[in-house]
Amino acid sequence: MGRVDAIARMVVSPLASVEIPSLEGKVSDEEWKIRVDLAAAYRLIAFYGWDDLIFTHLSARVPGPQHHFLLNPYNLMFDEVTASSLVKVDTNGNPVEPSPFITNPAGFTIHSAVHMARPDAGAVIHLHTPHGQAVSAHSDGLLPITQTAMLIRSEVAYHDYEGVAMDLEERERIVADLGDKSAMLLRNHGTLALGETVGEAFLKIYYLERACEAQILALSAGEANLSNPPQGAPEVTAQQGKMGLKLAAGALAWPALLRKAYRLDPEFAT
């Protein structure tokens, strides 16, 4: 009953009654930077309208051998998340330090699977957008009909739906289906992307989500009316995407997105 009681208390208590002590200077500089980046990503996901109330997660690995990760408090909207409110959790999604917030261990199933199996998964983003869900439910998945899709498509894996991801045994199947890819369409469920950094994961989920949105819009005119690219073009574009996305995330797009997050509301970095 302890977790149920905690959830009940958080549900009836306004956010204003929960003090969020600043962790700046109380964690390593490296961890604080990751906290700021992850909080910014939460705010940007909300800005682009990709959030799903309090559901879905963005997670990031905490430096060190303990296999700890940062996760959002379960009762905060994405546009309320701050660097200090992110909860440090273990591989099962349980807090490893005292926190005024609750977490959703069941929601961490997918993230923990990816983080533990892929050393390059410094950050993992999972979304439930209507366009992402629609493409995940399409029998052909992501089609190479736009430049955006062709840039990311070779990195996209697929995992069949097994119900709400609460079964820890599903983690092995998620990892097997993901293989060495850095993005995934979870069938009938949503999208996922990983990266060595928060910025890299964000840019990949951005491309995947934009590709899904464009596909649904294009298909609204009927599949017979699609203009498919010339033979060989998708493969060339895929190679360009492999080389360009990481560079764009680290040196170009993410620094610009971080500035945007500060302009929207600098409170995220507290």
Side-chain angles (χ1 to χ4, degrees), residues 220-233:
S220 68
E223 195 159 353
N225 295 314
L226 291 178
S227 174
N228 291 300
Q231 185 176 1

Side-chain angles (χ1 to χ4, degrees), residues 223-246:
E223 195 159 353
N225 295 314
L226 291 178
S227 174
N228 291 300
Q231 185 176 1
E235 290 75 18
V236 171
T237 310
Q239 287 301 315
Q240 293 170 329
K242 282 181 177 293
M243 293 184 294
L245 288 180
K246 182 182 290 289

Side-chain angles (χ1 to χ4, degrees), residues 119-264:
D120 59 330
V124 179
I125 297 176
H126 169 47
L127 303 178
H128 293 162
T129 68
H131 295 113
Q133 288 183 318
V135 172
S136 77
H138 193 283
S139 60
D140 292 329
L142 187 64
L143 301 172
I145 57 174
T146 64
Q147 175 174 277
T148 309
M150 288 182 276
L151 284 168
I152 192 70
R153 185 170 178 265
S154 67
E155 286 296 311
V156 178
Y158 294 83
H159 174 68
D160 288 337
Y161 188 66
E162 299 186 22
V164 178
M166 300 177 67
D167 182 0
L168 294 182
E169 293 182 0
E170 187 181 356
R171 293 194 290 192
E172 296 180 4
R173 295 184 287 276
I174 292 171
V175 168
D177 288 337
L178 181 63
D180 62 355
K181 306 289 188 181
S182 62
M184 176 175 270
L185 282 172
L186 297 133
R187 289 291 192 181
N188 315 101
H189 183 173
T191 55
L192 179 143
L194 65 92
E196 293 183 9
T197 64
V198 173
E200 184 180 339
F202 188 92
L203 194 62
K204 287 179 180 178
I205 202 72
Y206 177 88
Y207 270 79
L208 182 54
E209 286 292 337
R210 295 286 284 190
C212 288
E213 181 179 2
Q215 177 169 320
I216 297 306
L217 291 171
L219 289 175
S220 68
E223 195 159 353
N225 295 314
L226 291 178
S227 174
N228 291 300
Q231 185 176 1
E235 290 75 18
V236 171
T237 310
Q239 287 301 315
Q240 293 170 329
K242 282 181 177 293
M243 293 184 294
L245 288 180
K246 182 182 290 289
L247 174 63
L252 301 172
W254 183 247
L257 284 162
L258 197 55
R259 294 194 301 271
K260 184 178 187 69
Y262 275 106
R263 290 196 302 273
L264 291 171

Side-chain angles (χ1 to χ4, degrees), residues 89-140:
V89 300
D90 59 22
T91 56
N92 293 317
N94 296 308
V96 298
E97 298 171 348
S99 172
F101 297 104
I102 57 174
T103 60
N104 179 15
F108 194 59
T109 299
I110 295 171
H111 292 253
S112 61
V114 178
H115 278 299
M116 294 302 292
R118 294 282 297 272
D120 59 330
V124 179
I125 297 176
H126 169 47
L127 303 178
H128 293 162
T129 68
H131 295 113
Q133 288 183 318
V135 172
S136 77
H138 193 283
S139 60
D140 292 329

